[in-house]
Amino acid sequence: MLLNEEYYDKFPNVLKNALKNGIVKFPDSIQNEYSELVVYRAVKYSKNKTAIDKSDFSSNMERNLKNPMVPVDSNDISCYSCSCYLKIDAMRIYANFPRKNKAIAKGTIQKEFGPIDINDTTSHVDLYLFNGIDPSEKFEVIEKWEKNG
């Protein structure tokens, strides 16, 4: 994969600028070419919000721009990704489910969404979404906490 300024321009501003300014770099294990994968993702879910939308796929860095209370490490490339898991049981453990105002969504990701980095030990997937990509139509809520509605 060619990692250059033209490639970096494909990403949302917060990641694009961090890459161009040398604040972060993609790990050597990044995958640009991959088959469609089934993954699990935490999404906001409550009595007032039951639909999955683009905001459910924001990185922590993007969320921090809107809400400075979201903890981030601007030097950690993972904070610029959309976190998913290949295994639902691993997600329950590492993402502490069930959680208030959150549900688990199942969906598919594909190389057209952006590159990925997989941690085989935890089944965690860092998905670095290209700018303008909205995966929400490929996801559906499969598990919710009763108290969330």
Side-chain angles (χ1 to χ4, degrees), residues 123-142:
S123 95
H124 183 265
V125 178
D126 281 315
L127 169 61
Y128 299 95
L129 288 169
F130 291 135
N131 194 36
I133 296 294
D134 179 2
S136 61
E137 290 184 9
K138 298 272 190 179
F139 282 76
E140 66 178 333
V141 170
I142 60 161

Side-chain angles (χ1 to χ4, degrees), residues 17-146:
N17 293 336
L19 289 164
K20 286 184 173 185
N21 293 326
I23 297 168
V24 294
K25 66 176 192 158
F26 286 122
D28 293 338
S29 53
I30 196 87
Q31 298 176 50
N32 197 31
E33 294 290 326
Y34 55 94
S35 300
E36 186 173 85
L37 293 173
V38 173
V39 296
Y40 302 90
R41 165 98 178 138
V43 295
K44 291 177 225 127
Y45 192 92
S46 66
K47 291 177 183 171
N48 299 326
K49 185 192 179 296
T50 58
I52 299 172
D53 59 37
K54 190 175 188 317
S55 70
D56 287 307
F57 297 89
S58 297
S59 69
N60 282 344
M61 287 302 295
E62 291 168 309
R63 291 176 48 227
N64 176 268
L65 293 174
K66 295 176 186 170
N67 178 1
M69 297 301 290
V70 174
V72 293
D73 177 354
S74 61
N75 297 307
D76 182 354
I77 187 72
S78 292
C79 288
Y80 297 83
S81 77
C82 169
S83 290
C84 304
Y85 288 85
L86 295 171
K87 298 177 182 171
I88 193 169
D89 289 336
M91 183 181 171
R92 287 188 191 109
I93 293 167
Y94 295 111
N96 300 315
F97 267 83
R99 287 171 44 193
K100 185 177 182 179
N101 296 324
K102 294 282 186 178
I104 297 176
K106 178 182 180 181
T108 57
I109 59 172
Q110 54 202 50
K111 64 184 178 183
E112 291 79 12
F113 290 180
I116 59 172
D117 187 35
I118 299 174
N119 179 322
D120 292 325
T121 304
T122 63
S123 95
H124 183 265
V125 178
D126 281 315
L127 169 61
Y128 299 95
L129 288 169
F130 291 135
N131 194 36
I133 296 294
D134 179 2
S136 61
E137 290 184 9
K138 298 272 190 179
F139 282 76
E140 66 178 333
V141 170
I142 60 161
E143 187 175 298
K144 60 185 179 183
W145 191 32
E146 287 177 24

Side-chain angles (χ1 to χ4, degrees), residues 1-17:
M1 171 182 9
L2 190 57
L3 300 177
N4 57 29
E5 299 237 347
E6 185 178 321
Y7 183 70
Y8 297 160
D9 285 337
K10 294 181 177 187
F11 296 96
N13 285 336
V14 67
L15 176 53
K16 173 178 68 175
N17 293 336

